[in-house]
Amino acid sequence: MHSVDIAMALTFVVIASTVVLYAMERYAIEIVALGSISAFIVIFSVIPVTAPDGAAITTGDFLAGFANPALITVICLLIIGQGLFQTDALEAPAKAIVRMTRGRSLHAAIPVLLAVAVLSAFLNNTPVVVMFLPILTAVAATVGQSPARVLMPLSFLAILGGMTTLIGSSTNLLVANYAAQTSDLKLTFFSFTGIGLIVASVGAVYVLFVMPRLLKARKTMAEEFQATSGKQFIAQIEITYGHPLIGVESVSGMFPKLKDMTVRLVQRGQKPILPPFENVVLAPGDMVIVAATRTALANALSRRQPLMEAEGDTGNPGREIQAAQPGSISLAEVVVAPASRLMGRTLPQSGFYSDTGCLVMGIQRRSRMPRMAMNDIRLEAGDVLLVSGSEEEIARLRGNRDVLLLDWSMAEVPRRRYAPRALVIFACVVALAASGLVPIVSTAVAGTFAMIASGCLNIRQAMRAIDSRIFMLVGASLAGAVALEGTGGATAIATALVTVLDGASAPVMLSALFFIVMVLTNFLSNNAAAVLFTPIAINLAQQIGAEPEAFVVCLIIAANSSFATPIGYQTNLIVMGPGHYKFNDFVRAGTPLALVLWLTFSLVAPWYYGL
């Protein structure tokens, strides 16, 4: 056996083992991916192999995937999406979509997903997914649904829409151009739209109505705790000159602009005004005491015209000193510890802000809700304080003996005042990428820089958006593609297909071609699978004296059927992190879709093309 044959056999073993380990999820994706790259490096170091172009395959070839433009694009798009998330830039569009569905929360995402499928027929799939990912995430959050239920359908419907027209996917153009060069087949814009719509429609029914039932709602630990926490804090809003609540009048005993808070007291000088509030108009100098959830307080803090600012009048001795907190603000919950020095003291007496740099935004007491100003409450052991500060200041509370930091509770407050600039950056990235005037990798890198330079994100937030699973998955899959092509493994698979199908009928050939390409496109890139099989598809048609269009269209649709793995297509990688998906989620939800498309095409294509 030649050394190349040995290397090819070992390559198949490594790829198969890697896929099995990914699906088992017993080991972290990063470890499995790194192990596969290491295995390829060792194999090709011990057994030197020369690629078809005559160049020796080196270690650098296996590591080149980590600098691949597709990987850089995905990472940059994740950072841009994080910028939209940090500024809550798409909250308004999400609420508008929910209103349009007239309360049918379970169906709120369907119109958006259908719009994605239509747009993907005429635009590159990647910018379409980038455009709608934060919108769908916000819609899911607004209706209390897990993003995992809608983000994988987003990617899959973009792929389905892309297989209906000539420009719907780069794969379509690649196959059409190659077929035009090697045969008389000239595919036009809508050449395969008919059969593409039939196949995509069947797939869309599965994606919209069956697949969400197969997807598990996964959340981070912090999200799980916060989602189940409806507890309320006592907080105070001080009405200063220029405050957005000045002139707000009570209506039917309530204040409309504080609809998500319960107003318990309005302190006007020495005079307390108790509910129900009749004909009360808020004025500078008033202190509004409210009971509100953490979410409501975070929204009040993050508004473009905040109701609660981490800024204050240091000359007022009646309250805790407050100072401007530049940069991003985080919220966290701390519990007053037993035997704490804070016990029996009010916040101004405790000096908590001067000692820690963290500002107390609210107090929660499990036994009762005091009806008094927050700064007049004497703290007790077990009181929960909602504090704001920088991430570093809150992290230092871990060493504070007076309070116990609840680590899971720490989360950054959206910087909504930067939402307009985040939307402008996002719109420019999508417009340039969709126009084709600038490569999408260039617009993604520039958009990432703009998000950070404009203050929508800081470096730490940007780095946190990078998903290590995606980074290692792409690098390992590209290393596997190098090994397959270098050893001739991919060509061997194609040659074996031709041999096995020799003498078979046209419908059987079409079905077998679709199945083989569908499997390979989930492990190679769809473009690589398409280029490899285009001459084979044309050759199969010539063997039986049939027109090559049916076989070339079969190849286009099969190469786009990259649903069973996250590495199958770029949009799968984009939604993997925000949806908290695991590798096995794509296997479980995507494999049935790929099989449905295969069966549909196998049944419809012979009738459609008269074979």
Side-chain angles (χ1 to χ4, degrees):
M1 182 180 287
H2 297 294
S3 61
V4 174
D5 297 330
I6 297 174
M8 184 194 301
L10 292 174
T11 295
F12 284 132
V13 170
V14 171
I15 291 176
S17 302
T18 301
V19 172
V20 170
L21 290 173
Y22 280 152
M24 289 175 59
E25 296 183 350
R26 185 173 181 179
Y27 305 100
I29 283 178
E30 296 90 336
I31 294 176
V32 176
L34 183 59
S36 69
I37 295 172
S38 302
F40 286 131
I41 291 174
V42 171
I43 290 170
F44 284 77
S45 297
V46 175
I47 309 173
V49 174
T50 302
D53 61 2
I57 298 177
T58 64
T59 299
D61 295 323
F62 293 111
L63 300 178
F66 293 107
N68 186 277
L71 176 58
I72 302 301
T73 300
V74 170
I75 289 175
C76 289
L77 292 176
L78 288 174
I79 294 174
I80 292 171
Q82 182 73 6
L84 293 171
F85 172 77
Q86 288 294 144
T87 57
D88 253 2
L90 294 168
E91 180 188 34
K95 288 183 176 179
I97 291 170
V98 173
R99 284 196 298 271
M100 285 189 293
T101 59
R102 298 178 182 178
R104 297 189 298 271
S105 60
L106 293 178
H107 303 107
I110 291 180
V112 184
L113 290 171
L114 292 176
V116 166
V118 173
L119 285 175
S120 294
F122 304 97
L123 299 174
N124 184 285
N125 296 344
T126 302
V128 172
V129 170
V130 171
M131 183 191 310
F132 282 94
L133 186 148
I135 293 177
L136 274 175
T137 303
V139 169
T142 302
V143 300
Q145 192 176 37
S146 170
R149 305 284 191 192
V150 294
L151 294 189
M152 194 183 294
L154 167 66
S155 175
F156 287 3
L157 280 171
I159 297 172
L160 289 172
M163 64 174 61
T164 59
T165 66
L166 185 63
I167 66 169
S169 167
S170 59
T171 305
N172 305 358
L173 284 169
L174 197 62
V175 173
N177 290 337
Y178 194 95
Q181 294 171 7
T182 56
S183 70
D184 296 329
L185 178 62
K186 307 292 182 184
L187 292 177
T188 61
F189 194 95
F190 294 111
S191 286
F192 51 90
T193 299
I195 190 167
L197 280 175
I198 294 172
V199 174
S201 298
V202 174
V205 171
Y206 167 84
V207 170
L208 292 174
F209 301 106
V210 178
M211 198 174 78
R213 303 176 186 275
L214 303 178
L215 296 172
K216 296 180 180 179
R218 288 196 175 91
K219 297 183 179 181
T220 62
M221 184 179 294
E223 289 172 331
E224 288 174 354
F225 275 102
Q226 292 168 15
T228 58
S229 176
K231 61 186 178 184
Q232 292 192 320
F233 294 86
I234 291 293
Q236 61 189 35
I237 302 173
E238 300 185 25
I239 311 298
T240 57
Y241 287 98
H243 196 280
L245 291 181
I246 289 179
V248 171
E249 185 176 1
S250 60
V251 177
S252 300
M254 303 175 65
F255 293 93
K257 285 197 174 182
L258 296 173
K259 59 183 179 181
D260 53 351
M261 300 180 180
T262 302
V263 179
R264 300 178 60 82
L265 170 71
V266 176
Q267 186 73 36
R268 180 164 291 171
Q270 299 299 316
K271 177 186 176 183
I273 304 175
L274 299 174
F277 304 102
E278 298 295 340
N279 301 319
V280 177
V281 180
L282 298 180
D286 288 350
M287 183 181 296
V288 182
I289 312 303
V290 300
T293 63
R294 171 181 171 150
T295 300
L297 294 176
N299 290 337
L301 187 65
S302 65
R303 289 174 52 164
R304 295 178 192 177
Q305 287 186 306
L307 300 182
M308 306 175 71
E309 281 273 18
E311 300 175 353
D313 176 11
T314 58
N316 183 355
R319 66 190 183 101
E320 185 183 1
I321 296 175
Q322 300 177 0
Q325 300 186 26
S328 60
I329 299 175
S330 295
L331 289 180
E333 297 175 27
V334 298
V335 179
V336 177
S340 168
R341 291 177 298 175
L342 302 180
M343 291 173 56
R345 297 182 180 181
T346 63
L347 287 174
Q349 292 171 347
S350 69
F352 184 80
Y353 174 77
S354 58
D355 289 343
T356 65
C358 296
L359 182 68
V360 177
M361 307 300 297
I363 300 174
Q364 192 266 336
R365 180 165 292 171
R366 300 182 186 280
S367 58
R368 60 194 180 280
M369 296 288 280
R371 194 184 297 275
M372 64 177 69
M374 186 179 74
N375 284 344
D376 293 337
I377 298 175
R378 295 190 177 275
L379 300 176
E380 299 177 359
D383 285 350
V384 179
L385 310 181
L386 181 66
V387 299
S388 69
S390 69
E391 188 170 345
E392 293 77 13
E393 289 167 339
I394 291 178
R396 285 198 294 267
L397 292 177
R398 293 189 182 96
N400 191 307
R401 297 186 178 182
D402 294 319
V403 294
L404 305 174
L405 174 64
L406 304 178
D407 275 298
W408 56 263
S409 69
M410 188 163 64
E412 287 180 312
V413 176
R415 308 171 78 178
R416 293 181 181 171
R417 64 193 69 183
Y418 294 108
R421 65 185 71 174
L423 281 173
V424 169
I425 294 168
F426 177 63
C428 290
V429 169
V430 172
L432 288 172
S435 69
L437 298 175
V438 183
I440 188 171
V441 64
S442 302
T443 59
V445 171
T448 298
F449 171 75
M451 279 288 184
I452 297 172
S454 65
C456 298
L457 281 175
N458 56 39
I459 295 294
R460 185 188 68 256
Q461 292 164 341
M463 293 301 294
R464 199 162 55 228
I466 299 174
D467 193 324
S468 61
R469 298 176 305 162
I470 293 175
F471 185 75
M472 293 303 299
L473 267 174
V474 174
S477 65
L478 292 174
V482 168
L484 271 179
E485 293 172 11
T487 59
T491 304
I493 294 173
T495 304
L497 175 63
V498 174
T499 303
V500 170
L501 295 180
D502 186 30
S505 64
V508 172
M509 282 189 173
L510 274 179
S511 182
L513 176 64
F514 192 108
F515 186 83
I516 296 296
V517 175
M518 177 190 73
V519 171
L520 287 180
T521 195
N522 283 284
F523 303 103
L524 298 173
S525 72
N526 51 353
N527 286 341
V531 170
L532 180 66
F533 276 87
T534 299
I536 295 171
I538 294 173
N539 184 39
L540 286 174
Q542 292 171 345
Q543 282 186 13
I544 62 172
E547 290 295 323
E549 181 175 350
F551 288 81
V552 172
V553 171
C554 170
L555 176 60
I556 288 174
I557 297 178
N560 279 295
S561 300
S562 42
F563 306 108
T565 67
I567 59 178
Y569 197 69
Q570 187 166 287
T571 57
N572 291 352
L573 291 171
I574 292 174
V575 302
M576 185 176 180
H580 304 295
Y581 297 120
K582 296 183 178 180
F583 189 95
N584 205 35
D585 290 326
F586 286 89
V587 176
R588 182 173 61 253
T591 301
L593 174 58
L595 294 175
V596 165
L597 298 190
W598 169 55
L599 291 173
T600 302
F601 186 87
S602 299
L603 294 173
V604 172
W607 161 80
Y608 189 86
Y609 288 106
L611 297 176

